[in-house]
Amino acid sequence: KLQFLYFIGGTMAWKSRLYGMATDMRYFVVGWVGGNWASCYIDVCEVKGRSMDPSLSENRGDRVVVLKHGYPKNDLLKGKVYTIRNPSDPEKTIIKRLVGTEGERYYCNGRGPVTVPQGHIWVEGDNSLFSEDSRYYGAIPAGLVIGEAKGIIWPFSAASRIPDFDISGREYQEPPPPLVLPEQPAPSDALIDDHDYPYQPSDICATDVDMPEEAADAPS
């Protein structure tokens, strides 16, 4: 009987251990799947540089949450902020605001006005003086977009959705045509028309002026 009880007790202990291991494995699998799912769809990025001041600040230590996997590239919206693979170095990630879409014209340094081609976008930083963006490397393929930056999650004091920023007036405007003045009539050499003047210079002479008798008899 004692051996039987020992056997039953040992069996129950092993079952308890196996159940605990199975539970731990279940939690591990769920955590692994959940973590990988989250990393595929959501990311947290640290802001570097001053190109997005004042909306996003490195000095403040901003970290933003990004919705990335499977983001519809044909549904990118002007005015939104996106994380993008740097067209000059795909190993690096940049964060910029989408300013223009295909068919619109913008000014690119060194190239003049350019039209955004099909399947491309035009991005710029909010802080134009400290941003290297499409004004330097032109329009970028929409396929380089990683995801949309949804909001600031750190620091807690600044936690909020990413603020809007005025992007109006950035599209290239054709210069107005030169001002053409109407032709003016050639200036006349005569300041006064002789026909309009009642007297001619020959009609007036000193001999025709009546002088007083005293003045006329005075010795010269």
Side-chain angles (χ1 to χ4, degrees):
K1 291 182 179 180
L2 289 177
Q3 291 179 351
F4 177 76
L5 292 175
Y6 285 141
F7 173 76
I8 295 297
T11 302
M12 294 180 64
W14 275 107
K15 285 184 177 181
S16 177
R17 290 180 182 179
L18 290 175
Y19 178 79
M21 292 174 62
T23 302
D24 292 341
M25 182 63 68
R26 182 180 61 184
Y27 288 146
F28 172 77
V29 171
V30 171
W32 182 81
V33 172
N36 279 273
W37 179 88
S39 65
C40 289
Y41 287 88
I42 300 174
D43 197 6
V44 176
C45 297
E46 182 179 1
V47 175
K48 295 290 186 181
R50 295 186 288 175
S51 69
M52 288 298 293
D53 284 342
S55 303
L56 301 174
S57 173
E58 178 186 22
N59 294 333
R60 193 170 54 200
D62 287 357
R63 286 168 173 77
V64 296
V65 60
V66 179
L67 178 64
K68 60 177 188 175
H69 185 73
Y71 197 83
K73 302 300 189 295
N74 59 346
D75 196 26
L76 302 176
L77 300 177
K78 293 175 65 172
K80 297 297 184 181
V81 177
Y82 296 93
T83 54
I84 306 162
R85 298 192 187 281
N86 191 327
S88 302
D89 185 358
E91 296 297 324
K92 296 181 179 180
T93 300
I94 58 176
I95 183 167
K96 304 292 179 185
R97 195 178 295 273
L98 196 156
V99 172
T101 54
E102 57 187 52
E104 298 178 345
R105 300 193 74 196
Y106 294 89
Y107 189 86
C108 184
N109 294 347
R111 296 167 56 186
V114 296
T115 301
V116 180
Q118 185 176 4
H120 288 64
I121 57 175
W122 191 273
V123 297
E124 295 184 14
D126 291 352
N127 190 0
S128 299
L129 294 178
F130 297 94
S131 177
E132 183 177 340
D133 45 42
S134 289
R135 294 170 301 159
Y136 294 89
Y137 41 69
I140 64 174
L144 293 179
V145 174
I146 299 173
E148 180 184 352
K150 286 297 197 179
I152 303 170
I153 62 172
W154 182 265
F156 291 138
S157 59
S160 66
R161 68 178 184 85
I162 296 180
D164 296 328
F165 194 81
D166 184 17
I167 60 173
S168 61
R170 299 199 181 192
E171 192 171 355
Y172 177 75
Q173 303 292 332
E174 293 289 347
L179 180 63
V180 179
L181 297 175
E183 292 185 3
Q184 299 293 331
S188 174
D189 295 335
L191 297 179
I192 301 176
D193 190 350
D194 294 342
H195 298 286
D196 296 335
Y197 194 69
Y199 301 102
Q200 296 297 325
S202 59
D203 297 336
I204 303 176
C205 62
T207 58
D208 295 331
V209 178
D210 294 334
M211 299 179 64
E213 295 180 359
E214 295 83 359
D217 296 336
S220 57

